């Protein structure tokens, strides 16, 4: 862009300003999103690779703003993470997910877990464990109905502190999985020290397993290693039957992806369970 003269620079500057302004507006409106009832959760099923049964749902946040329309999490989560807004939103997500878990157990589906994504800034807050415990109590669910998903990168600055918190939560039964596995740093270090139960292999790896034999071998080795460490393995972003077949052959435990279902609003998620049972 440098070569094409002064105007290009001006253009870039202008668009940067627009983005900064837009970010500011999004951040402002995000602070009020809960009160305005603009946030909701959708639930994506994770299925057992062998039986096809739903074992859990991942709660995924949605924001439908009166000002900005439907804003994807990839856009607003990073903005929320720049301030304590993420703590407020994160707390709401945990409470809402526990409420959904309560609904499932009231329907006699209490063995199905609900997982939530937790940001680093939530994790380092002094009241994180208390927030989780309170949400579980208030909803009246068993701690093992809730699972927390964290990414490796979330732990870089606070491994020891986080580790203490996870041990506390694991001790009462809350689940813990390592999200986006393979995209962060020092995966092996974390795996050995954290009380993790489940690895979620990032979609970017799953995308390659059908076309690339070496990739398939790689995933297969990760699954083997995880099993040696007594961890369960989830494949994320599974979109085709071919991928599913390969993953079943690799002994991958659980499958998440559009092949089975997109993330669904609460009612549809419950219908999805019933449909499976009816089949
Ligand atoms: P993630 O935790 O890795 O969640 C999986 C993402 O992959 C979701 O995107 C899901 O809709 C998408 N996905 C699932 N299966 C497929 C598939 O087969 N193909 C494709 N192309 N995509 C698939 P989503 O809902 O847009 O969320 C994006 C990210 O935003 C999440 O990635 C997570 O990092 C973050 N996020 C979402 N909700 C929350 C939340 O409540 N709190 C925090 N801190 N982060 C959240
Ligand atoms: Ca996740
Ligand atoms: Ca993920
Ligand atoms: Ca991701």
């Amino acid at each position: 862009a440098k070569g094409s003269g002064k105007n290009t620079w001006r253009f870039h500057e202008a668009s940067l300003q627009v983005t900064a302004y837009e970010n500011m507006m999004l951040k402002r409106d995000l602070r009020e999103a809960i009160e305005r009832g603009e946030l909701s959760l959708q639930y994506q099923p994770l299925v057992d690779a062998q039986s096809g049964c739903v074992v859990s749902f991942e709660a995924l946040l949605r924001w439908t703003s009166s000002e900005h329309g439907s804003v994807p999490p990839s856009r607003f989560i990073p903005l929320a993470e720049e301030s304590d807004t993420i703590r407020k939103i994160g707390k709401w997500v945990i409470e809402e997910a526990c409420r959904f878990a309560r609904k499932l157990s009231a329907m006699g589906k209490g063995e199905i877990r609900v997982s939530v994504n937790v940001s680093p800034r939530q994790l380092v807050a002094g009241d994180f464990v208390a927030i989780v415990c309170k949400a579980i109590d208030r909803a009246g669910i068993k701690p093992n109905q809730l699972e927390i998903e964290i990414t490796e990168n979330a732990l870089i600055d606070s491994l020891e502190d986080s580790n203490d918190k996870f041990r506390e939560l694991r001790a009462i039964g809350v689940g813990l999985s390592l999200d986006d596995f393979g995209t962060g740093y020092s995966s092996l270090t974390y795996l050995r020290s954290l009380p993790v139960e489940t690895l979620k292999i990032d979609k970017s790896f799953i995308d390659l397993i059908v076309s690339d034999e070496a990739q398939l071998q790689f995933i297969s080795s990760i699954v083997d290693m995880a099993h040696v460490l007594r961890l369960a393995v989830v494949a994320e972003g599974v979109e085709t039957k071919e991928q599913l077949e390969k993953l079943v052959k690799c002994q991958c435990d659980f499958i998440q992806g559009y092949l089975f279902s997109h993330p669904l609003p609460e009612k549809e998620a419950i219908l999805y369970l019933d449909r499976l049972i009816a089949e």
Side-chain angles (χ1 to χ4, degrees), residues 102-119:
R102 171 68 211 178
K103 209 171 227 179
L104 292 176
S105 57
M107 295 172 67
K109 304 178 199 308
E111 65 294 352
I112 296 172
R113 285 181 158 191
V114 180
S115 69
V116 294
N117 293 285
V118 169
S119 294

Side-chain angles (χ1 to χ4, degrees), residues 44-49 53 55-58 113 115 117 147-149 176-182 191 196-207 209 219-220 222-224 226-227 230-238 243-244 247-248 250-258 260:
Q44 186 176 34
L46 277 72
V47 308
D48 185 301
C53 291
V55 292
S56 65
F57 285 107
E58 177 174 1
R113 285 181 158 191
S115 69
N117 293 285
E147 186 170 316
I148 285 167
E149 298 195 4
L176 179 65
S177 41
L178 200 55
D179 202 357
D180 300 349
F181 183 73
L191 275 187
V196 173
E197 297 178 284
T198 307
L199 286 192
K200 301 189 72 172
I201 300 179
D202 194 69
K203 179 178 191 303
S204 55
F205 297 99
I206 306 303
D207 285 342
I209 57 172
I219 295 299
S220 183
I222 290 178
V223 174
D224 291 344
H227 287 165
R230 300 181 184 204
L231 303 170
V233 181
V234 176
E236 296 194 278
V238 178
Q243 289 174 332
L244 176 62
L247 290 163
V248 169
C250 290
Q251 316 277 328
C252 181
D253 304 283
F254 306 113
I255 309 290
Q256 178 177 10
Y258 296 168
F260 287 96

Side-chain angles (χ1 to χ4, degrees), residues 166-178:
F166 291 138
R167 288 193 190 286
E168 241 179 283
L169 291 172
R170 286 292 301 125
I172 63 166
V174 176
L176 179 65
S177 41
L178 200 55

Side-chain angles (χ1 to χ4, degrees), residues 15 31 52 70 83 85 93 114 131 153 161 171 237 239 250 254 261:
S15 67
R31 273 187 255 133
S70 156
S83 74
T85 302
V93 168
V114 180
I131 286 172
N153 293 349
D161 173 58
E239 294 179 343
C250 290
F254 306 113
S261 173

